[in-house]
Amino acid sequence: MLPRIAPFNRTGFARTVPELGLLLLAILVLLEGSVLPLGAASTPETNTHGEANRSGAVEGHSNHTKKAFPVLSFNYESVKLPFEISLWVLLAFLMKLGFHLVPRLSGIVPESCLLIVVGLLVGGLIRLAREEVPPVLNSKLFFYCLLPPIILDAGYFLPIRPFMENLGTILMFAVVGTLWNAFFVGGLLFAICLIPQTPVLNIGLLPCLLFGSIISAVDPVAVLAVFEEIHINELLHILVFGESLLNDAVTVVLYHLFEEFALVGSVTVLDGFLGIISFLIVALGGVLFGAIFGFLAAFTSRFTSHIRVIEPLFVFVYSYMAYLAAEMFHLSGIMALIACGAVMRPYVEANISHKSHTTIKYFLKMWSSVSETLIFIFLGVATVEGPHEWNWVFVTATVILCLVSRVIGVVGLTFVINKFRIVKLTTKDQFIIAYGGLRGAIAFSLGFLLDEHHFKMRNIFLTAIITVVFFTVFVQGMTIKPLVELLAVKKKQEAKRSINEEIHTQFLDHLLTGIEDICGHYGHHHWKDKLNRFNKKYVKGFLIVGERSKEPQLIAFYHKMEMKQAIQMVESGGGSKLASAMPSTVSMQNIQPKNQAAPLKPKERALPQLSKGREEEIRKILRTNLQRTRQRLHSYNRHTLVGDPEEEGIKDLILKKQMRIELDRKIKEMANHLTVPARTQDSPTMRRARLASDPQSFTVKPSADGVPVIQVDLASPQSPDSVNLFDETGQPAQNDDQGLMMKTKSSESDKRSEKDDLRDQQKLMRCLSDPGPAAEEDEDEPFLP
Amino acid sequence: MGATQTRPEPQYQDLVEATGFSLEQIKNLHKRFEQLSGNADTISRENLERIPALANNPIKTQIIEAFFDKRNQHGNELGSYEAIGFKEFLMVMSHFRPPTLRTTEEEKEAMREEKVRFLFNMHDTDGDGKITLQEYRRVVEELLSKSGTIGQEAARAIADAAMLEVASTNVPNMGPDDFYEGITFEHFQQILKGLEMESRMHIRFLDASTAHGCCRK
C-alpha cells in the first residue's frame, strides 16, 4: 500500500548515486547525533530559564549598549522542537530513499527491519554523544500523531467486499484469538514464575495477565509493513490485516481491565462480566463514533462544490476527530478510525472532485509512510535507550509462548471456523495466518504507558516486549517472503478490473440473491441486497449531491473507467498512443451486426444509435460538474484555485481532440472513405461514443437529426488552468469572460484542427501532469460491491 | 418431516449421486419444492414468479428462465420446459454447490466450467452457442432495469464497451471488415477467469432440518 520510489537509473548512474546517498545519510546521522544532544542538553535550561534568558538579554542589551550589534547570532531554543521534528522526518525519508537506491537490499530485507536497524544506529550514536537518549517514542506522540495516519490510510482504502465477506472469520480471530493468546501467555508465564528454580521473578498473576494482553495483539503497522511486500492473495491479506485492526478493542479492554485490577490485586466474576460488557461497549461504541463522524463528513462533502480546495481537509479532520473522540471515552480509537474511513468513502468520493480525490490519496499515503518509517526508527532508538532488565527465563519463555499460543490459537480456531465457512481455510492458509501474527510498536507503547511505581517489573516487561517485537519483525518478517514462495501460496492478482468483470460481479450478486430467494432462506446475499437497496433508496440521496445519487453502480464504474482511459490517453502523449490500453485493431464496426438500421450508410454503421441518449447523459454529467459562474482569474492564489469545474470539460475536450486527430490521420490514409470532411465541431456525443468504443477507423456522421451540439468553451485566457484553445481563431466568444458555457453549435473553420490540437495538447498535458499515485484498484470498489 | 413423501427413498439415492447433494439437503430442498409447487409434482414459471422476494430482483426473468432451460440439465437437449419436476429443480440447484476441502484441482476445474456454462446459458438465450451483441445488450439492460431512464441509456454504451473488450482481448487482430459474431464459450471463460467462479458462485445449502422460523413461503 505504500508507494515505492523507483531507483532513478540502474545502469551507470547507480554507482555514484548510492555512494552519494550514503554519504549524505552519514552526514545527516552525524548531524542528528550532534544536534540532539545539544537540544537535549539545553532542554532543562530552556524551560526554566527561558524567561530569565530573555529578560536577561533585554537587560543586557540596555546595559551593554557599547557592545556591537550582533550581525549573526545563534538561537537554537526557539526553533528546537520543529527543527528536531523536521530533522527526524528528513532522516526517515532519506533512509527510505537510500534503501531503494541499493537495488538488492529491499528485495531481501523488509523495510521495517532496515528502519529498526537505522534507529538502533542513530540511538547508538546519540548515546555515544551523551549518556542518555531523549525519549522520542513517548506514548502520547505515538498514539496521537504517529498511529492515526496509518490506521486512517488502512481504513479509507479498506477493500470492503472481502472484508465483509470474511467478517465472521476475522472477528473470531481478533476476539477469541487475542483472548486466547492473552490468557495462555499470561497464565503460563505466571506458572513459570511460580517454579522455585527461576531466579528472582516475583510477578503476580494479574501483572502476568496484563503482560499477556499487551503482547498478544497482532500489530497492524508491522503487518502492513511486511505484508505489503509479499503480495499474497487477497483473502489471507484481509484475514491477517483485519484481525490486526479489530483486535484493538480487545486489547484496550484487557489492558485497562488488568491495569485496574492489578492495583487492586484480585478479580471477581462480576468484574469478568463487566469486562465482557465493557468489550462490547468499547468495540461497538468505537464503530458508532466512527460511523457518526463518517456520515458527518459525507454530509459536509455534499456542500463543498464551491470550495474544492478544502475538501481533503474534511476527510482528515473528521477522521481524526473520530479517533480523538473515541479515545476520550476510552473506546477503541482504531475501530473508530476504520469505521469512519470506510463509511465515508463511497459518499465522499461521489461528491468530491478528482483532484481532491488524488490529494486525499496522496496525503494519506504520504503521512502513513512517514509515520511508519518514524515508528520503526523510534523503536530502534528506544531500544538503545532502555531501560532494560534482561531476564533470560522470562524473555525466552515469552518468545516461545507467543509462538506456540499463536499456532495453537490459529489451528484451533480454524477448525471451528471451517465448519461455518463455505470456502475453507487450508493448512497452508493457516500457516501463513499464524506466521503473519507480528507484534509491533503498539505493544511497546502500551508497555511504556505502564506506571513505573505500580509496576516494578515494567523494565522486564519492556525488554521482553522489545525482544518479541524484534523477533517477529526480523525473523518472521524476513523469512515470510521465501516461505510464501516455497509453499506456493497464491499471490495477489494484479489484473485490472474490467467492465466485463464488473458486469458479471453484479450479475452474480443478483443471481445468487435470486437463488437464495427461491431456495427460501435468508442468506448472506439476501441481507446484502437489502442493505444495498436501503442504501440506494435513502442514504445516497441524502449524502450525495446532485445527479450522482441516483447513478447505479455499474454506470458509476463505467464512467470511472472512461475517465481513467481518458486521463491515460492524455498522459500517454496524444492520440498516437491510442492503442496502448487495448492493443488490437478491433473497433466498433467489428462487433456491430451487419444488418444495421437502414438509414445509416454502410460506412456509418460504426456509429451506434447513441446520439440522443448519450448526449443527454453527457449533458447531465457536464452540468453536474461544470461551474456555471464566470471564471476570471487574474492571479494565482489559493483562494481562487481553479478546480475541477473545467477539469471535466477539459478532459472531454481533450478526448475530442484526440479522437479528431486520430480520425484525421486515419482519414488521410483512407482518402476515399470520407463522406464529410473532418469537422472540428462534432457533437460530444459522437466523440464520446467513439471513446467508449475505442475505435480506430471511423467516419464522421454529419450532424443530422437535429441533435443539439454542446460546445464547451474553457475559461478565459487569464485562468491558469485554461488552455488557449481558440484564441487564434477569432472565436467570437472570447472577448468577454464567458467561462464555461454551453452554446449551440456554431460554424467553425476546420483549418485549425491539427496544428492547434498538438499545441493545445502540450499545454494541457502540462496542466494535468500529475500522474497520480500508482494505480490502486482497491479504491474502485463501490459501496458494498 | 410429517408430510407424506412423494418419492421413495431409493430415488433420493439416485439424486444424491446425480447432483452431489447430501440426503439432508435433498430433503430440505424437496420441502421447499413442495412449498413452491403447492404440493404438486411439477412447478411452472408462475409458481416461481409468485415468490415475493424475487420481485425486487432486476434479472428475475433470466433466473426463472434458467430453471426451465434444458441446457442446464447436463444433457444435450436444447429448448425449454413448460414445467419442471423435482429432479430438474435439483439439477439446476446443483450448479450452486460450493467446493469442499476435499475437492481436487481437477474437480474444481470441472466445477468452474459447469458454473460458467450455467452463466453462459443464461446469457445465450437463443441457444446458438454465442452471446451476440444484442443478447449482451439485453443482459446489461436487465441489470440496469431497476435504475430508471439513466440506466437504459447507458446500458447500450456499457454493453458495447464490454463487447469490444471481449473482442479485443480474445481476437486482437481483426481487420476492419471482419465481424466478431459473438462471445463463444471459450471467450466467456477467458473473461471470467479472474473472478474464480468456483469460490464465488455458490450459496449455502442447509444441512440440518430447518427451523421454520428462518424459512419463508
Side-chain angles (χ1 to χ4, degrees), chain A residues 422-423 512 515 519, chain B residues 15-23 25-26 29 74 90-100 102-103 107-108 110-112 114-115 118 197-207:
Chain A
I422 300 193
V423 178
L512 293 175
I515 298 284
C519 248
Chain B
L15 291 173
V16 168
E17 279 152 37
T19 59
F21 283 119
S22 73
L23 214 53
Q25 287 170 334
I26 293 184
L29 284 170
H74 295 283
L90 263 191
M91 288 297 275
V92 172
M93 286 299 191
S94 74
H95 286 99
F96 294 94
R97 272 185 314 118
T100 66
R102 267 171 262 112
T103 323
E107 284 175 0
K108 276 196 187 150
M111 216 178 213
R112 186 194 304 191
E114 185 186 309
K115 294 180 197 258
F118 185 85
M197 280 295 157
E198 75 273 10
S199 317
R200 294 182 68 154
M201 185 166 146
H202 55 69
I203 67 169
R204 186 186 295 282
F205 287 103
L206 300 164
D207 273 329

Side-chain angles (χ1 to χ4, degrees), chain A residues 3-79:
Chain A
R4 290 225 164 260
I5 308 169
F8 295 107
N9 187 337
R10 283 196 168 254
T11 49
F13 205 31
R15 273 192 303 139
T16 55
V17 172
E19 290 164 16
L20 265 179
L22 287 172
L23 194 60
L24 196 59
L25 286 170
I27 294 177
L28 197 72
V29 167
L30 281 172
L31 183 66
E32 284 253 15
S34 56
V35 158
L36 277 169
L38 200 73
S42 56
T43 321
E45 303 169 14
T46 319
N47 296 335
T48 55
H49 301 285
E51 290 299 324
N53 278 349
R54 238 173 285 131
S55 54
V58 168
E59 279 174 5
H61 207 135
S62 56
N63 282 343
H64 310 276
T65 43
K66 287 203 216 136
K67 201 169 181 177
F69 185 76
V71 193
L72 185 68
S73 56
F74 181 76
N75 183 1
Y76 181 63
E77 288 84 33
S78 59
V79 297

Side-chain angles (χ1 to χ4, degrees), chain A residues 470-605:
Chain A
F470 269 49
F471 181 80
T472 57
V473 171
F474 278 89
V475 174
Q476 285 177 245
M478 277 205 271
T479 55
I480 198 168
K481 194 162 185 180
L483 271 175
V484 162
E485 304 282 335
L486 192 68
L487 290 177
V489 179
K490 240 188 317 178
K491 295 279 201 101
K492 183 159 77 163
Q493 289 170 324
E494 296 292 350
K496 270 181 187 264
R497 200 98 185 258
S498 72
I499 185 84
N500 278 298
E501 284 185 358
E502 179 71 22
I503 290 178
H504 285 286
T505 310
Q506 296 249 327
F507 191 82
L508 204 59
D509 275 342
H510 289 298
L511 173 65
L512 293 175
T513 312
I515 298 284
E516 272 187 2
D517 290 332
I518 293 181
C519 248
H521 60 265
Y522 291 118
H524 163 72
H525 289 100
H526 174 86
W527 293 113
K528 202 159 78 141
D529 189 56
K530 264 212 159 114
L531 189 60
N532 265 333
R533 270 189 283 128
F534 173 75
N535 182 31
K536 196 154 81 153
K537 204 160 155 190
Y538 299 109
V539 183
K540 268 192 187 172
F542 186 60
L543 292 178
I544 299 182
V545 68
E547 292 291 334
R548 302 241 6 218
S549 60
K550 298 197 203 62
E551 198 175 46
Q553 204 169 298
L554 189 57
I555 299 185
F557 179 85
Y558 175 62
H559 284 154
K560 220 189 244 186
M561 226 185 58
E562 279 204 332
M563 183 74 82
K564 271 200 178 143
Q565 269 185 355
I567 298 177
Q568 215 179 25
M569 264 205 301
V570 172
E571 290 160 6
S572 66
S576 53
K577 293 229 191 103
L578 202 62
S580 61
M582 284 194 262
S584 73
T585 55
V586 179
S587 72
M588 271 308 288
Q589 66 190 65
N590 290 113
I591 65 176
Q592 285 289 335
K594 292 205 169 16
N595 47 346
Q596 197 61 301
L600 292 171
K601 294 191 215 158
K603 288 294 174 230
E604 292 171 325
R605 69 173 184 226

Side-chain angles (χ1 to χ4, degrees), chain A residues 500 518 585 589-590 592 693, chain B residues 136 164 174 176 178-180:
Chain A
N500 278 298
I518 293 181
T585 55
Q589 66 190 65
N590 290 113
Q592 285 289 335
S693 26
Chain B
Y136 209 36
L164 193 68
M174 284 179 100
D178 291 344
F179 177 60
Y180 183 68

Side-chain angles (χ1 to χ4, degrees), chain A residues 237-465:
Chain A
H237 185 260
I238 199 70
L239 282 179
V240 182
F241 185 57
E243 179 197 345
S244 70
L245 289 174
L246 293 187
N247 66 19
D248 180 60
V250 182
T251 312
V252 164
V253 170
L254 281 180
Y255 182 79
H256 284 124
L257 198 74
F258 288 132
E259 199 189 9
E260 288 285 322
F261 296 142
L263 298 176
V264 174
S266 65
V267 73
T268 63
V269 174
L270 178 65
D271 296 325
F273 188 61
L274 284 177
I276 296 178
I277 300 199
S278 164
F279 163 70
L280 285 172
I281 293 184
V282 162
L284 295 175
V287 171
L288 187 70
F289 269 60
I292 292 177
F293 277 92
F295 279 122
L296 278 176
F299 190 64
T300 317
S301 73
R302 196 180 160 175
F303 303 106
T304 57
S305 48
H306 298 288
I307 324 176
R308 294 284 185 191
V309 72
I310 59 174
E311 272 171 344
L313 205 60
F314 284 122
V315 173
F316 302 140
V317 171
Y318 272 112
S319 313
Y320 195 50
M321 300 254 330
Y323 180 74
L324 292 177
E327 287 287 324
M328 194 162 65
F329 287 91
H330 271 216
L331 303 175
S332 168
I334 289 185
M335 289 182 84
L337 261 184
I338 303 281
C340 188
V343 161
M344 85 165 112
R345 185 170 159 214
Y347 308 110
V348 163
E349 288 204 340
N351 285 334
I352 62 177
S353 68
H354 183 75
K355 276 189 188 157
S356 296
H357 173 74
T358 310
T359 308
I360 292 178
K361 194 173 185 179
Y362 254 143
F363 261 85
L364 280 177
K365 301 289 181 198
M366 182 187 79
W367 270 331
S368 67
S369 186
V370 179
S371 284
E372 194 179 294
T373 315
L374 279 178
I375 286 177
F376 283 115
I377 293 187
F378 286 163
L379 206 57
V381 173
T383 309
V384 171
E385 170 205 353
H388 290 299
E389 194 175 320
W390 183 266
N391 183 315
W392 272 107
V393 175
F394 192 78
V395 173
T396 49
T398 309
V399 175
I400 295 176
L401 281 176
C402 278
L403 281 175
V404 166
S405 86
R406 175 90 182 149
V407 170
I408 298 179
V410 169
V411 170
L413 278 176
T414 316
F415 180 72
V416 175
I417 287 173
N418 268 345
K419 293 205 199 311
F420 298 98
R421 277 182 71 91
I422 300 193
V423 178
K424 319 269 183 207
L425 293 173
T426 64
T427 321
K428 257 196 257 171
D429 294 336
Q430 291 173 41
F431 178 75
I432 297 289
I433 295 175
Y435 208 69
L438 307 169
R439 297 355 185 229
I442 291 187
F444 183 71
S445 308
L446 283 176
F448 220 78
L449 271 177
L450 288 173
D451 194 343
E452 184 90 40
H453 302 293
H454 294 137
F455 297 97
K456 306 257 179 314
M457 64 293 287
R458 177 175 172 257
N459 297 337
I460 305 181
F461 284 174
L462 279 180
T463 314
I465 294 176

Side-chain angles (χ1 to χ4, degrees), chain A residues 171-184:
Chain A
L171 277 175
M172 275 286 269
F173 277 125
V175 178
V176 180
T178 312
L179 279 173
W180 158 259
N181 278 344
F183 282 105
F184 187 80

